[in-house]
């Protein structure tokens, strides 16, 4: 059944009063990446209910990793079957696209999630609590911070193993997000991955008030942006009479057929389109952390447990940019001349805003948060290129960036003092003298963030700027390079601080992590260097994946 | 057979790597390893040479392409070697004389605890020089060129504990950099003009380029040659370079380094032939240098510095010959080879004398050494006879040819050049006779050294005398061998081309005139230093002598014009940097910092503020979108 037939079924249903509703056709094989993760998440909830407390951690960790690996295998299998290129397809009655960008981004999200799960499962950093090894998450999140019940939970050595199913739910939502091919699926996917993230943000073991504050802020502002998004969807539906991407694109192009008479009057009202489009755009820009919708980022990144921050900063960004790409390239390409100038403005203030405000940050997590805002600007520069090169460069950048980010936040978890992680920059002074290896690894990440050649950051930045410049956005690239120069200042400043300052006597210690975090950090460095030194294979891969299905 | 070419370079290169990275374990055998690899390279050279002789004259060029070094669209730099008659000549000279100098150094450096490192550098020097002469494109040549510069820096400054040696090494390196700039600019010009810098395509395309471009390329190549070959105005490093161990001086002056400039000009004959103006400058530089070096050589009391002046002068002959065009290329190279023999012999002889005289270098404190060092005396003497052009010896044939070629240039130019070369021959006879008389004849003027030890001159060990003997044999016979039946001419002609020119005088007349100035030079020297006694303390001397002792004021000139001028320039640039550039940079940084401080206040922690920002942002987004549609 082709896409248009599906749409005509939907859109003419009301008019023709079709008596029989045909059973929806679900291509289980093509949806298997999502289904595997969702299934594992549900199973994870059951494990929480039925497996004894002692065995939960290992069972959950094992299940999560197996599910993510299986899902990744399914993505690879689909790509190998040609779903990324020649056989791209819209599955599940027009709801989910199975094409190159979707598969590439799903693969990236899954790999990043595997690494993130490693950091979630780390139990070697916090000092043992009453003889039990504990992770970064609260003993009993429901207890009031500082209360007796919290103390009791800590004494009993409770741990929150629910983080694994929560993360899996979030991953499932993220997998759907860049593949969503109608606005409702988009919205549902957004909520599916946002709600677990709100919860995860609130689960920090240390500095619980800060963590809860972050979660509440994230939830409030997330709901606020969801409301905009939903209203935008409603307006777009009013414009096109459909929530399907293909249908809306056809109405925009004026090539639409089979218009039902009931909708003909309201259809094609440009005001609805422009306002609705802008609102949906805003919802997605909120998730990627673009200025002026970025203000939640520093607070949430700082308050959330650091492994969750890494996971959010990497996987959420990948998913949100995927959805943004699909929206701009599939639904609104006909409106290019309307959204491009506006997006220019957003890109410029995002790049400059993130880079400039980062200069005066004193907390390493907040610094990385602003850095992620600046990077969102760089990626957006590739997004608005509007060319095939633009798509592939963004895909590559996202893959490169996500591993650097998770690795960098993983390093942040290692540097600790009596109060937990020592995130104030002044405490990082002289780290290179005390722990040269950790400092060197962090320096590699910072250089990658700064876009120094031979790191993945350079390859990615070069690709997006090249795509942007070739699409006629030369001025934007100039601003981008200036922003990069400003950003380089604060990255290099941290390196200088680590290697050329005297260590403080009461400075933090570097905890020796278990193989889990070590793997996460090592994978990050490896990917950073491989994508920096020999990026061609992966650029080609992203290039092949750079065509959307319509 | 062409696969052997890379081995030629590889042998000393491996030697350098092993010796420099090998550590102390190699201290005991390292010098033998270095010598063996140099000899291996020579043997490979001989094998290739005999193979080359077996082929007809126009089929003698060999190519070996190793790999593409920098393959970028339109820009191809290959690691590829070319072995033709010209390269072959250099290969044999470099590896042959180089091996002898290695052998000699075993004895000379016996008591130096860093001998292994010294041999590593020597091997590196050979490898770089071989890359230079074997490259089939200018970029690879440049690699060898820089390698030679590096190796010479390391060797001249080998006794780095002496400040004078460290300074001399730095001076040589810096002056050479000026020349290197010339070469790199020449290569860039070639690339923009011809789109390539491989020898074959460039030389084939010289006809298509404008003469102005070719002149520019030629002048830049000349600048490069001046640096490496110590020609005026970049000659100042050569005298100071004597601070290095004597074998290094021999290597630099005979087999490597200073010959590179002559090679470069001869190799680029196609460019120079098409740029007569550049050729004229080459000739002028050669003529000036040949007199300059000769005059300096007359005044020096330091035996090595006197020989250094002589080298400068002899290279001047070669550059002059190369500047004459097809009339002179072959003779430039021929003189280069014979000079390689006798100058290496002279330097090794000087080293042998110093070895026996507590490292004393002042000839005024020598005298009467002939009976104490018979082998050194005989070999040095044969080298002496060769360099002044005593009939039948090497120098006689090669220098005479250059003088003839200078006259054959024709016109006023020919007469002037002929006169200059003749005059040079006379001065050469004078200063070399002076060196000979002051060192080996006359009364003993030996002085105790700084520690109070009186010298006990003795003959040097076998490892030092054997190379001297071999080189002396070359000094005696090489010229005659090359000239008989114009062997060398026929050998090299396919590469460089040859033209007889039209000599205004017959060869006999010119030879006669040369003999006359030779006798005059020797006689004057004998009157001044043979018959009259030589004072230990140098006399005040005439104005010219005093100037010549100071290298004709070259360093004073450089100091006043270049150093002072450079200092003023840098000072003003530093001032500009501090006020202008730093001002802008720091100002920008400060303004961004201030902006950052103000912007971060917006981040006040209240969710309501954040929500307002989002709302405002959305409103602006919508308004801007609608506005875009409206306009």
């Amino acid at each position: 059944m082709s896409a248009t037939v599906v749409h005509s079924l939907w859109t003419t249903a009301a008019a023709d009063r079709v008596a029989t509703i045909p059973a929806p056709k679900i291509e289980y094989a093509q949806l298997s990446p999502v289904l595997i993760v969702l299934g594992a998440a549900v199973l994870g909830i059951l494990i929480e209910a039925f497996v004894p407390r002692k065995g939960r951690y290992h069972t959950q960790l094992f299940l999560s990793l197996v599910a993510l690996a299986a899902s990744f295998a399914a993505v690879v299998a689909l790509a190998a079957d040609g779903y990324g290129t020649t056989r791209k397809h819209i599955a599940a009655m027009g709801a989910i696209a199975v094409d190159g960008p979707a598969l590439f981004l799903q693969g990236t999200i899954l790999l990043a999630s595997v690494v993130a799960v490693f950091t979630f499962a780390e139990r070697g950093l916090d000092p043992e609590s009453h003889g039990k090894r504990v992770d970064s998450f609260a003993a009993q999140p429901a207890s009031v911070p500082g209360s007796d019940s919290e103390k009791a939970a800590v004494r009993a050595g409770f741990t929150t193993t629910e983080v694994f199913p929560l993360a899996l739910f979030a991953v499932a939502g993220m997998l759907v997000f860049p593949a969503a091919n109608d606005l409702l699926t988009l919205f549902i996917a957004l909520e599916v991955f946002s709600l677990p993230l709100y919860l995860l943000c609130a689960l920090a073991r240390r500095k619980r008030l800060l963590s809860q504050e972050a979660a509440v802020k994230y939830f409030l502002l997330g709901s606020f942006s969801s409301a905009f998004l939903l209203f935008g969807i409603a307006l777009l539906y009013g414009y096109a009479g459909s929530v399907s991407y293909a249908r809306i694109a056809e109405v925009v192009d004026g090539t639409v057929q089979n218009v039902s008479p009931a909708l003909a009057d309201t259809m094609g009202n440009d005001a609805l389109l422009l306002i609705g489009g802008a609102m949906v755009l805003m919802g997605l820009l909120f998730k990627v952390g673009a200025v002026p919708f970025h203000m939640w980022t520093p607070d949430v990144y700082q308050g959330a447990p650091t492994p969750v921050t890494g996971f959010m900063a990497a996987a959420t960004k990948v998913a949100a940019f995927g959805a943004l790409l699909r929206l701009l390239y599939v639904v609104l390409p006909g409106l290019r001349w309307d959204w491009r100038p506006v997006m220019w403005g957003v890109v410029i203030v995002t790049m400059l805003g993130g880079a400039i405000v980062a200069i005066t940050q004193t907390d390493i997590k907040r610094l990385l948060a602003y850095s992620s805002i600046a990077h969102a600007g760089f990626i957006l520069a590739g997004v608005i290129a509007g060319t095939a090169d633009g798509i592939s460069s963004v895909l590559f950048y996202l893959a490169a960036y996500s591993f650097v980010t998770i690795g960098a936040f993983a390093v942040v978890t290692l540097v600790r003092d009596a109060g937990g992680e020592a995130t104030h920059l002044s405490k990082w002074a002289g780290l290179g003298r005390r722990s040269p290896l950790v400092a060197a690894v962090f320096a590699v990440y910072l250089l990658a963030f700064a876009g120094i050649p031979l790191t993945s950051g350079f390859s990615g930045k070069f690709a997006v700027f090249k795509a942007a410049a070739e699409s006629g956005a030369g001025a934007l690239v100039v601003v981008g390079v200036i922003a990069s120069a400003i950003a380089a200042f604060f990255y290099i400043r941290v390196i200088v601080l680590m290697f050329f300052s005297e260590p403080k006597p009461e400075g933090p210690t570097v905890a020796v992590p278990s193989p889990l975090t070590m793997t996460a950090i090592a994978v990050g460095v490896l990917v950073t260097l491989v994508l920096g030194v020999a990026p061609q294979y992966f650029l080609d891969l992203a290039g092949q994946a750079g065509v959307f299905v319509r | 057979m062409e696969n052997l070419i890379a081995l030629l370079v590889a042998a000393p290169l491996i030697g350098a790597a092993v010796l420099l990275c090998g550590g102390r374990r190699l201290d005991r055998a390292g010098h033998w390893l270095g010598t063996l690899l140099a000899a291996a390279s020579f043997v490979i050279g001989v094998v290739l040479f005999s193979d080359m002789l077996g082929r007809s004259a126009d089929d003698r060029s060999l190519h070996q392409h190793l790999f593409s070094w920098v393959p970028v669209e339109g820009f191809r730099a290959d690691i590829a070697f070319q072995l033709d008659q010209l390269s072959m000549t250099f290969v044999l000279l470099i590896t042959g004389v180089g091996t002898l100098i290695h052998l000699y150094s075993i004895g000379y450096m016996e008591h130096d605890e860093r001998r292994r490192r010294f041999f590593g550098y020597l091997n590196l020097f050979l490898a770089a020089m071989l890359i230079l002469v074997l490259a089939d494109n200018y970029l690879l040549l440049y690699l060898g060129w820089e390698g030679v510069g590096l190796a010479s820096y390391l060797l001249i400054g080998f006794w780095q504990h002496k400040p004078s040696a460290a300074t001399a090494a730095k001076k040589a390196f810096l002056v050479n950099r000026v020349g290197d700039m010339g070469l790199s600019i020449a290569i860039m010009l070639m690339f923009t003009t011809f789109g390539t810098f491989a020898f074959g395509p460039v030389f084939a395309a010289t006809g298509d380029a404008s003469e102005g471009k070719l002149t520019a390329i030629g002048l830049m190549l000349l600048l490069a040659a001046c640096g490496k070959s110590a020609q005026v105005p970049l000659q100042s490093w050569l005298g100071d370079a004597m601070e290095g161990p004597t074998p290094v001086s021999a290597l630099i002056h005979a087999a490597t380094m200073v010959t590179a400039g002559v090679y470069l000009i001869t190799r680029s004959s196609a460019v120079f032939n098409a740029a007569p103006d550049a050729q004229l400058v080459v000739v002028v530089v050669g003529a000036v240098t040949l007199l300059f070096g000769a005059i300096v050589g007359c005044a020096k009391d330091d035996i090595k510095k006197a020989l250094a002046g002589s080298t400068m002068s002899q290279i001047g002959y070669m550059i002059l010959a190369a500047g004459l065009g097809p009339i002179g290329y072959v003779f430039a190279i021929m003189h280069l080879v014979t000079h390689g023999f006798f100058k290496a012999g002279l330097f090794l002889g000087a080293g042998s004398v110093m070895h026996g005289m507590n490292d004393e270098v002042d000839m005024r404190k020598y005298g009467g050494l002939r009976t104490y060092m018979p082998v050194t005396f005989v070999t040095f003497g044969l080298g002496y006879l060769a360099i002044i052009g005593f009939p039948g010896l090497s120098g006689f044939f090669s220098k005479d040819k250059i003088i003839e070629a200078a006259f054959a240039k024709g016109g006023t130019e020919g007469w002037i050049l002929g006169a200059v070369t003749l005059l040079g021959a006379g001065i050469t006879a004078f200063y070399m006779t002076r060196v000979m008389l002051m060192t080996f004849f006359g009364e003993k003027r030996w002085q105790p050294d700084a520690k109070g030890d009186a010298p006990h001159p003795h003959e040097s060990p076998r490892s030092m005398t054997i190379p001297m003997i071999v080189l002396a044999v070359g000094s005696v016979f090489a010229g005659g061998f090359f000239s008989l039946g114009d062997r060398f001419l026929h050998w090299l002609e396919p590469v460089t081309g040859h033209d007889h020119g039209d000599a205004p005088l017959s060869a006999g007349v010119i030879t006669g005139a040369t003999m006359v100035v030779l006798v005059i030079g020797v006689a004057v020297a004998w009157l001044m230093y043979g018959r009259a006694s030589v004072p230990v303390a140098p006399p005040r001397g005439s104005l010219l002598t005093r100037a010549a002792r100071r290298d004709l004021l070259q360093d004073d000139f450089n100091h006043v014009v270049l150093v002072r001028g450079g200092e003023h320039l840098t000072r003003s640039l530093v001032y500009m940097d501090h006020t202008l550039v730093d001002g802008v940079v720091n100002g920008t940084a400060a303004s961004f910092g201030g902006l950052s401080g103000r912007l971060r206040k917006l981040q006040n922690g209240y969710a309501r503020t954040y929500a307002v920002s989002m709302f405002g942002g959305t409103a602006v987004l919508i308004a801007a979108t609608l506005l875009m549609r409206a306009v």
Side-chain angles (χ1 to χ4, degrees), chain A residues 149-423:
Chain A
S149 71
E150 185 195 35
K151 284 178 192 130
V154 170
R155 245 194 324 277
F158 288 175
T159 51
T160 310
T161 42
E162 288 91 340
V163 291
F164 294 103
L166 283 174
L168 286 181
F169 275 121
V171 171
M174 290 172 188
L175 293 183
V176 176
F177 204 46
N181 201 46
D182 67 50
L183 291 167
L184 277 180
T185 313
L186 179 82
F187 179 71
I188 291 168
L190 174 77
E191 293 305 319
V192 167
F193 80 75
S194 293
L195 290 169
L197 283 181
Y198 301 148
L199 275 179
L200 285 169
C201 285
L203 297 186
R205 174 170 286 267
R206 312 272 191 141
K207 300 175 188 154
R208 288 193 59 201
L209 284 174
L210 196 65
S211 167
Q212 293 185 351
E213 181 192 328
V216 171
K217 274 185 190 163
Y218 192 19
F219 174 64
L220 281 176
L221 296 170
S223 313
F224 192 51
S225 89
S226 290
F228 276 100
L229 181 82
L230 202 53
F231 192 39
I233 290 174
L235 292 177
L236 284 181
Y237 181 77
Y239 167 74
S242 165
V243 289
S244 152
Y245 282 7
R247 181 76 172 178
I248 299 172
E250 279 173 8
V251 178
V252 172
D253 293 345
T255 55
V256 70
Q257 286 155 5
N258 306 330
V259 183
S260 88
L263 291 170
D265 293 345
T266 54
M267 214 161 99
N269 182 338
D270 273 357
L272 292 182
L273 170 68
L274 292 175
I275 299 174
M279 285 179 148
V280 172
L281 209 56
M282 176 267 170
L284 297 178
L285 289 176
F286 173 82
K287 280 292 165 198
V288 304
V291 177
F293 315 109
H294 68 289
M295 296 185 95
W296 60 277
T297 320
D299 292 16
V300 173
Y301 278 23
Q302 186 187 15
T306 309
V308 174
T309 311
F311 174 59
M312 270 196 305
T316 312
K317 214 156 231 179
V318 176
F321 268 109
L324 189 63
L325 274 177
R326 193 175 293 279
L327 185 77
L328 292 180
Y329 282 70
V330 176
V331 185
L332 303 176
L335 283 185
R336 238 170 115 211
W337 302 113
D338 294 294
W339 59 255
R340 239 172 98 102
V342 181
M343 287 296 287
W344 263 66
V346 173
V347 174
I348 289 175
V349 294
T350 305
M351 290 191 296
L352 286 178
I356 290 175
V357 182
I359 296 176
T360 41
Q361 296 306 314
T362 52
D363 184 284
I364 189 77
K365 283 170 83 177
R366 285 185 87 83
L367 181 92
L368 291 177
Y370 280 106
S371 136
S372 89
I373 295 170
H375 279 279
F378 299 140
I379 304 176
L380 279 175
V383 170
I384 68 162
T387 57
D389 272 355
I391 302 176
S392 59
S393 68
V394 169
L395 296 183
F396 180 84
Y397 200 122
L398 288 170
Y401 176 76
S402 51
F403 285 95
V404 182
T405 305
I406 296 186
F409 279 109
V411 175
V412 171
T413 63
L414 302 185
V415 183
R416 312 178 77 91
D417 59 13
E421 289 161 13
T423 54

Side-chain angles (χ1 to χ4, degrees), chain B residues 67-81:
Chain B
F67 57 91
S68 271
W69 184 16
V70 191
V72 184
E73 191 181 358
F75 179 98
R76 268 184 74 83
D78 290 342
I79 299 289
F81 295 125

Side-chain angles (χ1 to χ4, degrees), chain B residues 286-549:
Chain B
V288 169
T289 310
L290 104 78
L291 291 180
F292 189 105
I295 293 170
V296 169
C298 294
K300 291 288 183 184
D301 290 331
D302 179 327
I303 184 167
K304 283 175 76 182
K305 293 203 168 161
L307 290 178
S310 144
T311 301
M312 204 191 288
S313 167
Q314 299 301 317
I315 303 283
Y317 270 107
M318 298 169 209
I319 294 280
L320 185 145
L324 293 173
I327 314 174
Y329 290 130
V330 173
F331 303 127
I333 301 300
M334 185 162 128
H335 192 53
L336 192 151
V337 175
T338 58
H339 175 257
F341 283 113
F342 54 68
K343 188 49 66 65
L346 288 170
F347 264 111
L348 297 189
S352 174
V353 170
M354 286 160 56
H355 199 70
M357 293 292 288
N358 293 354
D359 286 330
E360 179 59 64
V361 291
D362 189 348
M363 291 188 291
R364 291 185 183 277
K365 295 172 185 167
Y366 290 167
L369 287 173
R370 65 181 180 282
T371 48
Y372 294 89
M373 309 175 130
V375 181
T376 306
F377 169 61
V378 172
T379 54
F380 194 93
L382 288 172
Y384 153 72
L385 292 177
I387 194 173
I388 64 172
F390 192 80
L393 272 70
S394 285
F396 169 74
F397 294 101
S398 53
K399 198 191 287 175
D400 206 45
K401 289 286 185 201
I402 293 182
I403 298 174
E404 281 175 33
F407 278 111
K409 178 75 180 168
T412 327
E413 204 185 326
W415 282 104
I416 296 174
L417 293 175
V420 168
T421 48
L422 262 184
L423 181 61
I427 306 178
T428 307
F430 170 78
Y431 67 73
M432 283 312 298
T433 310
R434 174 174 174 268
V435 169
M436 198 66 197
L437 290 173
M438 285 172 84
T439 306
F440 292 103
F441 296 88
E443 70 272 33
K444 302 169 190 168
R445 300 179 302 275
W446 311 344
Q447 307 285 323
D449 65 6
K451 278 180 258 163
D453 297 336
H456 299 285
H458 55 271
E459 192 49 85
S460 296
R462 195 71 57 79
S463 71
M464 289 167 69
T465 51
I466 289 175
M468 286 153 60
I469 294 168
V470 175
L471 288 167
V473 171
S475 316
V476 174
F477 297 110
F481 177 78
F482 290 158
S483 290
L484 274 181
D486 286 338
R487 273 204 191 102
F488 202 76
L489 184 59
H490 296 313
W491 159 251
L492 215 52
E493 199 182 349
V495 181
T496 59
H498 187 65
D499 176 10
H500 285 291
D502 48 343
L505 301 167
S506 75
V509 174
I510 295 175
T511 309
T514 316
M515 284 306 113
V516 171
V517 296
L518 174 76
V519 170
I520 294 174
V522 173
V524 172
W526 186 77
L527 286 177
M528 287 174 69
Y529 299 97
R531 212 179 54 168
S533 67
V534 179
V536 175
R540 195 173 136 77
S542 68
L543 201 64
L544 180 65
T545 314
R546 270 179 283 152
R549 276 191 197 134

Side-chain angles (χ1 to χ4, degrees), chain B residues 5-6 9-10 13 62-70 75-83 87 126-149 180 183-184 186-188 190-191 196-199 202 228 260 263-264 267:
Chain B
I5 302 177
V9 180
L13 202 58
L62 284 180
H63 265 89
Q64 183 184 15
H65 183 268
L66 281 187
F67 57 91
S68 271
W69 184 16
V70 191
F75 179 98
R76 268 184 74 83
D78 290 342
I79 299 289
F81 295 125
Q82 168 188 333
L83 184 72
S87 309
L126 287 197
M129 195 65 197
L130 286 170
I131 291 176
L132 198 164
V133 298
L134 285 170
D136 94 324
N137 61 68
Y138 279 99
L139 201 67
L140 185 58
L141 181 146
Y142 189 69
L143 182 77
W145 192 268
E146 293 292 307
V148 168
D180 297 348
L183 185 54
S184 60
I187 295 174
M188 293 176 213
M190 275 177 212
F191 187 71
T196 173
F197 34 68
F199 289 156
V202 168
K228 275 278 177 293
Y263 172 79
L264 183 68
R267 176 57 81 194

Side-chain angles (χ1 to χ4, degrees), chain A residues 274 337-338 341-342, chain B residues 619-631:
Chain A
L274 292 175
W337 302 113
D338 294 294
V342 181
Chain B
V620 171
L621 211 63
I622 292 171
T625 318
L626 291 175
L627 196 71
M628 287 318 294
R629 178 56 68 95
V631 293

